[in-house]
Amino acid sequence: MRPFEVSLPSGLVGCTIGGVPIKVISLSPTSIRLDADGEALNLRVYFYRDGGMCPLNVTAVRDGADYTVADPVYAAEVRRVTKLYTAYIHRRLDQPDADSWCDHELPLLPNGFDPDTDFGEVSLALNEPSGYRQPTLPVKGKIVRLYVGSRTCPTLLPTPEDWRRLAVLGYPMTLVLPPLSESMLDGVRPLLELAEEAEINDFGAAALCREYGVEPRLGLLLNRRRLDPRLPLKDGWPDFAPMLAENSVNDPLWREYLAELGITRYEFAAANYPLTVPEGGHSLHIGWIPTNVTAAFRESGVTRRYDGLPLIERQGGMFAFFVGGTQNFERVVIEP
């Protein structure tokens, strides 16, 4: 890289040539490195500003592996978004978030659905120790259930004391379990004695739930989807999008086997394509999708569009996509 050259998330900087998206590898106030060929290129570079992507037309001339851009407006925009991103990545993890989504109404789904009216239940996920000990609930919105635990990290499971403390709030609770190893069982058993429902993410946990009389729900790690905000930008997207709508839970034989394990309700992650959802009372998780768009550039609870894709901006740099109907979902789970 040249001096002062940086790599920024695609949520801050984008580029097209003739309307075709081009990957930006890195950039500086006077240059840009692209996944493109040509000696001189007419680029449309997009910079994040005020909740949207603002285009800037520039000419780039090849200079070795990079392209030189002699444009003062381009240089100023690169410095601006670099400064924003630098400030974000140096934020302390425990820094209070004054404009937390918890101070706002629960967000509208991008195609007009409202969690407060279009689902039978609105649930809130608590997935780390500070949330167990001092839970922050939205000041508005009809939260009626808590999802407690982590599906990815065993060290983030609540203790029995945490569970009892949350139970005092009066909400029904769902225990969220990660894939379990033998060494974790002694720590999980006391929680199963207290829980009535659990999201499980390995099939051995189904036997544990049966042992303790806990209703198992098929977890997100066992009901996997392609969750990538860039998918609609791929060539041929309209042709292969319908193939992503179904996975193993759409197979009647697989659902029959799950029912033998006591699993009749499934957890679904919101996706940026319509899902084919089997009949039943399932759950839709809003916010559980990894992206590289950061928390520093959001207005909580506000629906945005980037390159025509519907977004819900979430705390912690998370964006949720949801395209489709609410049929067969009995609850929505808001993932902070």
Side-chain angles (χ1 to χ4, degrees):
M1 287 188 177
R2 299 181 178 186
F4 309 112
E5 190 173 16
V6 295
S7 295
L8 294 174
S10 58
L12 295 179
V13 176
C15 182
T16 61
I17 300 177
V20 178
I22 302 297
K23 180 181 179 181
V24 178
I25 300 173
S26 60
L27 71 170
S28 78
T30 59
S31 68
I32 187 169
R33 182 173 296 186
L34 302 167
D35 185 9
D37 295 319
E39 293 302 315
L41 302 174
N42 293 319
L43 308 178
R44 173 165 285 193
V45 184
Y46 295 82
F47 294 96
Y48 180 93
R49 180 184 289 274
D50 298 328
M53 301 299 287
C54 300
L56 175 65
N57 295 324
V58 299
T59 300
V61 179
R62 180 176 288 280
D63 181 11
D66 298 342
Y67 287 86
T68 297
V69 180
D71 187 311
V73 177
Y74 169 86
E77 287 296 289
V78 171
R79 292 188 179 96
R80 181 182 62 81
V81 295
T82 302
K83 183 178 179 180
L84 286 174
Y85 187 59
T86 302
Y88 167 73
I89 63 177
H90 285 89
R91 291 174 62 189
R92 288 169 46 195
L93 291 178
D94 60 349
Q95 181 175 341
D97 215 349
D99 62 342
S100 167
W101 69 275
C102 294
D103 299 328
H104 299 264
E105 294 185 16
L106 293 177
L108 292 177
L109 301 185
N111 47 6
F113 293 119
D114 185 343
D116 275 354
T117 60
D118 288 289
F119 296 90
E121 291 186 3
V122 179
S123 304
L124 176 68
L126 303 175
N127 49 27
E128 47 85 26
S130 64
Y132 309 150
R133 290 158 194 157
Q134 292 182 321
T136 302
L137 303 181
V139 295
K140 299 179 182 178
K142 57 173 187 180
I143 294 293
V144 298
R145 174 176 290 273
L146 298 178
Y147 273 59
V148 182
S150 171
R151 65 184 57 88
T152 57
C153 181
T155 63
L156 295 180
L157 284 175
T159 65
E161 291 73 23
D162 293 332
W163 187 272
R164 295 187 184 95
R165 186 183 303 110
L166 291 171
V168 173
L169 298 175
Y171 295 101
M173 296 191 294
T174 298
L175 176 63
V176 181
L177 294 174
L180 300 176
S181 64
E182 292 288 336
S183 63
M184 297 167 55
L185 297 183
D186 289 343
V188 168
R189 288 182 183 276
L191 291 171
L192 290 172
E193 291 178 352
L194 300 171
E196 296 180 354
E197 180 180 271
E199 176 193 328
I200 65 171
N201 287 286
D202 74 286
F203 289 111
L208 273 178
C209 287
R210 186 165 55 249
E211 178 182 341
Y212 286 90
V214 176
E215 180 187 352
R217 300 179 69 101
L218 191 72
L220 293 180
L221 300 187
L222 296 177
N223 188 14
R224 298 296 294 271
R225 300 279 173 176
R226 286 292 301 275
L227 301 177
D228 189 332
R230 301 166 296 178
L231 283 174
L233 304 180
K234 303 292 185 181
D235 292 339
W237 167 250
D239 297 323
F240 69 77
M243 294 186 287
L244 299 178
E246 297 188 358
N247 66 359
S248 57
V249 299
N250 298 103
D251 186 332
L253 292 177
W254 181 243
R255 293 200 302 274
E256 182 178 336
Y257 173 71
L258 293 176
E260 292 176 0
L261 298 177
I263 304 170
T264 58
R265 301 183 182 189
Y266 316 141
E267 309 292 311
F268 285 80
N272 53 342
Y273 48 86
L275 303 177
T276 302
V277 182
E279 291 185 2
H282 309 303
S283 301
L284 178 72
H285 289 248
I286 297 293
W288 196 74
I289 179 171
T291 72
N292 55 6
V293 186
T294 62
F297 318 116
R298 74 182 192 285
E299 293 179 22
S300 301
V302 178
T303 299
R304 298 294 185 193
R305 285 185 175 270
Y306 172 60
D307 283 342
L309 305 180
L311 308 175
I312 302 173
E313 300 193 55
R314 304 299 302 128
Q315 188 178 21
M318 294 298 173
F319 281 70
F321 297 86
F322 179 49
V323 178
T326 59
Q327 184 178 6
N328 297 330
F329 290 120
E330 70 173 4
R331 68 178 66 149
V332 61
V333 184
I334 307 298
E335 298 266 355

